[in-house]
Amino acid sequence: MERTALPGRLIWQLGRVVELIDETPRTKSLVLDVPGWLGHTAGQHVDVRLTAEDGYQTERSYSIASPPEARQVVLTVERLDDGEVSPYLTDGLQKGDQLELRGPIGGYFTWQVAAGGPLLLIAGGSGIVPLMAMIRHRAAHSSTVPTHLLYSSRDFDDIIYRQELAQLSAADPTLTITHTLTRAQPPSWTGYRRRIDRTMLAEVAWPPSERPLAFVCGPTALVETVAAALVDLGHDPLRVKTERFGASGGTV
Amino acid sequence: MTIDEQRLDGNAAGGILGQIFAFEMTTAEVICAHCDAVGPIGAAVVYATAMGTIIRCAGCGEALIRVAHGPQRFWVDFSGTRLLQLRADQ
Amino acid sequence: MAKGFFSRGFIGRRRDPEQAGRLPPGQYLTDGFPVLSAGPTPYTPKDKWDFTVVGAVETPQRWTWDEFQTLPRVPITADIHCVTKWSKFDSKWSGFSLDAILGAAKPQAAYVLAFCDGGYVTNLPLADVTGNKAWIVDTYDGAPLPLEHGGPVRLLVPHPYFWKSAKWVRGLRIVEDDQPGFWESLGYHNYGDPWKEQRYQGD
């Protein structure tokens, strides 16, 4: 049963950066200590608000990468070349800096072990972030809910959490991962080499008869293609949940 | 297919709705006043910018809920929603 | 939130205006041209498109796309100000004056509603769209107005906040009684003068 009652309304609160982790050349994880944090569910996000000295403000949404079991709140941010906020978060923030955030937000695009499966997770690029929170939550409970991750990245070095995912799946036969690299592949690559399409989904996903819970997250084009294909393959639209990242990943 | 990069999922409205309502709103169910479709706000279509957050019915496209935010004020237009159901935990 | 909190080192996507007096209060100057949408981008192919002036007018008007293009074309350079605080100086447009468009219809009442594909509506006093203050534009920066910025045509009325410059406009309705449009009925100011910072109702 998804938790629905909040202890009051969401407010802006401050978190402090305690660590910055380079995940890939383009992404960084921000480990935050948020004193007022009351916990969250895997799949939820926060809104981050930046304020310049003259009062100028702008907001963006970022998915929470850490599972509910973690003590600190981790956000994984991809630096967009023409972004206004992401370059500040990946290149400007330093340990000890404070960050204003509001959350956790969203009860619809969430998963808890109790919800069961099988679990079909489909990510494009930084769309992996909320799904990683689900995978980490699952691991924290040593859950054996059958889980398959289909993860599209530009190239090998762009795979966020690559080693952690490899270690988790190596140790757990109920967690399987399929990567597809769309732009460039290492010489020894035997995996998929194209964007996720209906054919790939038919080969990789559970059949609709298994009634998987599907979570699809990433750029809008990928989310729309995948969601439409899953429904076309016969999956129940009510069991396909989507989170489009949109043009800039958030509001404003 | 033309990609509408401004179109987001219902989660995107969770932040502003969470500032106004004490309940988690993306799981709240709405009945569209225009076409009578029923579904959670999480499955609705959201256009969220600094002007405001417009939550549209995934079936007919009409605005279910519109929210704007000024200094010390929120405006919420529910005229596109016939009914809103919020589930309490216990 | 905590008063006085700011994000160390954050500047954002702005630049300094050389002429500070040219920027209305509370605005920031941008080089870009943000797209803010309230719904999906609508599209009407040119062979189905028309523009009408209806309501309290002596002679209702209708133009097809080709007929519309025969109206006298003028270039417009204007500063534009969005209520979300970004401003853009010297934006360049080309289009057709509302004086010519409304002149043909001969309005008989004092208010205008601009109605658009997708359902957007905004309202203005007639006096604010006549006297060389408003245009229907189909060209931005020398090229056809992009779809996401309101193409094929949008209303351009630079002196109030830019939400009044309705995208995907399909016509004007002249009415006796003012009627708040899409944003005006959601807390935004009915008139929207950037120099008086009329962003919201009651400002």
Side-chain angles (χ1 to χ4, degrees):
Chain A
M1 180 70 185
E2 290 142 338
R3 186 158 56 98
T4 51
L6 297 172
R9 300 166 295 109
L10 288 178
I11 51 157
W12 290 103
Q13 50 188 321
L14 285 176
R16 187 173 297 278
V17 179
V18 299
E19 205 183 338
L20 297 154
I21 304 169
D22 288 318
E23 301 284 0
T24 70
R26 229 195 313 259
T27 62
K28 201 173 253 186
S29 286
L30 317 176
V31 182
L32 305 170
D33 183 49
V34 188
W37 197 249
L38 296 166
H40 68 281
T41 311
Q44 288 188 301
H45 67 273
V46 295
D47 291 338
V48 166
R49 182 167 72 182
L50 300 183
T51 307
E53 276 187 68
D54 64 356
Y56 175 81
Q57 285 187 328
T58 189
E59 292 175 28
R60 295 291 186 278
S61 301
Y62 292 99
S63 292
I64 301 168
S66 47
E69 294 72 24
R71 199 167 40 85
Q72 290 153 332
V73 177
V74 180
L75 308 179
T76 302
V77 178
E78 177 182 10
R79 183 196 321 108
L80 302 174
D81 292 325
D82 59 347
E84 183 181 28
V85 169
S86 62
Y88 173 78
L89 297 178
T90 56
D91 301 338
L93 274 183
Q94 294 165 11
K95 266 205 258 196
D97 281 339
Q98 290 189 302
L99 195 61
E100 207 176 14
L101 51 92
R102 171 177 73 187
I105 298 164
Y108 182 72
F109 192 87
T110 58
W111 183 78
Q112 297 170 82
V113 166
L119 199 55
L120 177 61
L121 306 176
I122 302 166
S126 55
I128 185 64
V129 179
L131 309 185
M132 195 60 185
M134 296 177 187
I135 290 170
R136 287 168 166 166
H137 165 65
R138 181 185 172 281
H141 286 258
S142 304
S143 164
T144 54
V145 166
T147 299
H148 191 81
L149 169 67
L150 173 57
Y151 185 7
S152 173
S153 307
R154 276 180 259 225
D155 58 48
F156 192 74
D157 291 331
D158 272 339
I159 301 174
I160 310 169
Y161 318 124
R162 191 185 75 240
Q163 284 180 301
E164 186 181 344
L165 285 169
Q167 284 161 2
L168 285 171
S169 66
D172 179 359
T174 58
L175 170 65
T176 51
I177 300 173
T178 302
H179 288 286
T180 179
L181 302 180
T182 61
R183 288 225 193 133
Q185 302 83 26
S188 53
W189 187 254
T190 54
Y192 288 109
R193 301 164 169 260
R194 64 182 198 270
R195 296 205 161 127
I196 300 175
D197 54 31
R198 190 186 186 281
T199 308
M200 193 189 296
L201 286 165
E203 289 166 6
V204 157
W206 276 284
S209 54
E210 295 286 340
R211 294 189 48 72
L213 264 175
F215 291 90
V216 188
C217 186
T220 296
L222 178 146
V223 169
E224 294 193 343
T225 301
V226 169
L230 287 174
V231 171
D232 192 59
L233 285 167
H235 291 276
D236 180 357
L238 293 176
R239 290 177 79 78
V240 177
K241 296 191 173 180
T242 57
E243 181 152 86
R244 292 161 167 78
F245 273 1
S248 66
T251 59
V252 185
Chain B
M1 174 173 66
T2 319
I3 301 299
D4 182 355
E5 291 282 356
Q6 301 260 319
R7 176 198 165 137
L8 301 171
D9 295 284
N11 327 294
I16 195 161
L17 291 176
Q19 278 201 277
I20 300 167
F21 297 94
F23 285 93
E24 203 295 304
M25 290 295 276
T26 63
T27 52
E29 281 213 340
V30 289
I31 301 180
C32 177
H34 188 77
C35 76
D36 291 321
V38 183
I41 289 178
V45 175
V46 171
Y47 291 87
T49 67
M51 284 298 292
T53 296
I54 311 299
I55 302 168
R56 293 184 175 274
C57 176
C60 71
E62 291 294 313
L64 291 163
I65 304 171
R66 304 188 301 148
V67 187
H69 183 18
Q72 275 85 51
R73 281 178 291 177
F74 290 92
W75 293 272
V76 189
D77 174 358
F78 271 110
S79 60
T81 297
R82 189 185 310 288
L83 189 65
L84 174 73
Q85 176 186 265
L86 304 156
R87 219 187 282 261
D89 254 352
Q90 47 277 54
Chain C
M1 190 53 247
K3 279 218 157 42
F5 170 75
F6 65 89
S7 312
R8 184 198 59 78
F10 176 66
I11 296 165
R13 190 184 283 135
R14 278 119 16 96
R15 59 181 185 85
D16 280 319
E18 285 106 37
Q19 311 153 53
R22 199 170 155 185
L23 207 54
Q27 296 294 105
Y28 300 95
L29 191 60
T30 186
D31 285 329
F33 194 172
V35 173
L36 283 81
S37 293
T41 299
Y43 172 68
T44 302
K46 298 231 170 73
D47 61 336
K48 306 254 188 307
W49 186 93
D50 63 5
F51 190 92
T52 56
V53 180
V54 295
V57 295
E58 195 178 284
T59 318
Q61 298 289 316
R62 178 180 179 268
W63 291 269
T64 62
W65 179 262
D66 291 334
E67 288 166 348
F68 207 67
Q69 294 292 317
T70 67
L71 288 165
R73 180 180 285 278
V74 294
I76 308 110
T77 300
D79 293 350
I80 59 181
H81 311 292
C82 182
V83 72
T84 63
K85 301 195 173 176
W86 61 263
S87 285
K88 198 170 169 58
F89 290 166
D90 298 323
S91 62
K92 295 190 168 11
W93 312 81
S94 159
F96 315 101
S97 166
L98 242 61
D99 290 299
I101 290 165
L102 290 171
K106 299 192 184 32
Q108 310 284 297
Y111 295 97
V112 179
L113 303 178
F115 55 89
C116 312
D117 277 342
Y120 185 80
V121 179
T122 192
N123 57 312
L124 292 130
L126 184 65
D128 281 273
V129 296
T130 48
N132 211 36
K133 297 197 208 80
W135 300 265
I136 302 296
V137 291
D138 64 358
T139 304
Y140 170 69
D141 229 12
L145 182 63
L147 262 157
E148 71 267 17
H149 282 300
V153 303
R154 75 182 297 164
L155 175 62
L156 174 68
V157 51
H159 66 279
Y161 284 118
F162 211 53
W163 88 72
K164 297 275 185 186
S165 290
K167 294 191 281 195
W168 311 296
V169 68
R170 291 294 301 277
L172 307 169
R173 174 177 299 277
I174 312 303
V175 294
E176 303 241 342
D177 299 315
D178 197 9
Q179 294 168 39
F182 185 89
W183 293 117
E184 297 85 355
S185 63
L186 194 62
Y188 282 93
H189 198 275
N190 197 51
Y191 184 77
D193 181 346
W195 295 100
K196 297 181 182 157
E197 240 186 320
Q198 293 174 340
R199 300 181 196 269
Y200 304 99
Q201 281 166 17
D203 280 350

